[in-house]
Amino acid sequence: MSDTHNFEFEDGFTEKPQPQPLRLPLPKVDVLLHCGDLTQCGGSSSFKKAVKMLGAIDAELKLVIAGNHDLELDEEYWTNNLDEGDEPEDHIRATNVVKGHLAADAGVKYLDEGTYDFTLKNGARFTIYASPYSPAFLNWAFAYEHTQDRFNEAHQVADGVESIAKHSIPSFPNVDIVMTHGPPKGILDHCQQGIAGCGNLLQALRRARPRIHCFGHIHEGNGMKVVDWDSQENGPFDLNDTREHDSQGQSEFENMYPRPTHFPLVYGKQSLMVNAAIMNGENEASNAPWLIYLELPSAAS
């Protein structure tokens, strides 16, 4: 899931003619991924509500990143954009919520940008890359310019692009899951402004070829597609290319929630792409989460 924006589970009976699809009880899962925008505009109380909401979900592992709306979690942004009544210490307070005892009690593990390894109780293991950053839009947090590449090293970037990567995405076969807040360019990234995804991220995914890439940010893009990398264009991404890429080696799937979606991937040749935004384009919680069955390697292998 992603982009819950202050969402809270409804208590008891609802008279709504069409109850929101994200409601209790949720199916028990091994791993819950939340791809950012826990809140609408940050705030410690909003982060506490988000942690409480995630705590109500039954999952062995709950991995969470921030998004551009989770203002205080971006220390550099918060320091440089203090409004009247804001305090520099608000960053520490917000971080303590998502990394402190409240998060621990809720089973939430907040991930800063980087690569992590996990092993589940059933013996499955996976490597996940996480990043809360997305291309700059207005004045929100965790932003980078379109000519800056956070995901590729200097020798991997496109022409006219500067690598600012502190934690680049590992190349195939060294990452199973990629979790970012923003989408790659041309994949589940269409909004009123056009195509809003990141070409540099797409370039990194081409060499990483993860089993699954989960993201959100663009509410209108909610959905799942399978990308066949052998059908994708090779070579560096052209910053001036404004074509829509989602006709190139992609197949779209319907959300079967609360039943799981299962696609037998050819690892290294195909990747699941999931825009898991719960909010729609009208900021209504009308989208169901994605429940996906994913085959992972065994820790014993």
Side-chain angles (χ1 to χ4, degrees), residues 9-15 23-24:
F9 289 114
E10 296 175 337
D11 294 326
F13 176 76
T14 176
E15 295 182 353
R23 60 184 185 272
L24 296 174

Side-chain angles (χ1 to χ4, degrees), residues 3 25 32 35 46 48 119 122 206 223 254-255 259 272 296 300:
D3 295 80
L32 168 68
C35 304
S46 294
K48 290 177 182 179
T119 300
N122 62 14
R206 284 175 179 162
E254 179 183 357
N255 194 344
R259 290 181 291 159
L272 291 178
L296 294 170

Side-chain angles (χ1 to χ4, degrees), residues 93-164:
R93 296 187 184 102
T95 301
N96 287 341
V97 173
V98 298
K99 292 185 175 182
H101 69 89
L102 287 177
D105 292 344
V108 169
K109 185 170 183 60
Y110 178 83
L111 302 181
D112 293 309
E113 186 179 61
T115 302
Y116 303 83
D117 295 305
F118 295 98
T119 300
L120 300 174
K121 294 177 182 178
N122 62 14
R125 61 174 174 83
F126 63 91
T127 299
I128 183 170
Y129 172 86
S131 176
Y133 291 88
S134 56
F137 177 72
L138 300 177
N139 187 33
W140 293 97
F142 295 105
Y144 55 87
E145 298 299 326
H146 289 268
T147 55
Q148 296 176 321
D149 189 333
R150 295 196 68 91
F151 309 109
N152 295 288
E153 300 293 338
H155 67 282
Q156 300 165 330
V157 302
D159 292 340
V161 175
E162 174 194 8
S163 174
I164 59 169

Side-chain angles (χ1 to χ4, degrees), residues 17-122:
Q18 294 181 326
Q20 57 198 22
L22 180 58
R23 60 184 185 272
L24 296 174
L26 273 71
K28 182 178 180 178
V29 297
D30 296 310
V31 181
L32 168 68
L33 302 179
H34 192 298
C35 304
D37 278 359
L38 297 156
T39 67
Q40 187 61 34
C41 290
S44 291
S45 62
S46 294
F47 287 119
K48 290 177 182 179
K49 290 178 181 178
V51 167
K52 178 182 178 182
M53 181 271 292
L54 294 171
I57 301 173
D58 192 354
E60 177 183 337
L61 193 60
K62 304 174 187 179
L63 304 180
V64 177
I65 61 174
N68 61 310
H69 282 255
D70 299 321
L71 304 182
E72 291 98 323
L73 295 179
D74 184 347
E75 183 177 12
E76 181 178 356
Y77 169 88
W78 189 251
T79 300
N80 294 325
N81 291 273
L82 292 175
D83 287 332
E84 184 177 353
D86 293 337
E87 299 179 358
E89 294 77 13
D90 290 341
H91 163 70
I92 298 174
R93 296 187 184 102
T95 301
N96 287 341
V97 173
V98 298
K99 292 185 175 182
H101 69 89
L102 287 177
D105 292 344
V108 169
K109 185 170 183 60
Y110 178 83
L111 302 181
D112 293 309
E113 186 179 61
T115 302
Y116 303 83
D117 295 305
F118 295 98
T119 300
L120 300 174
K121 294 177 182 178
N122 62 14

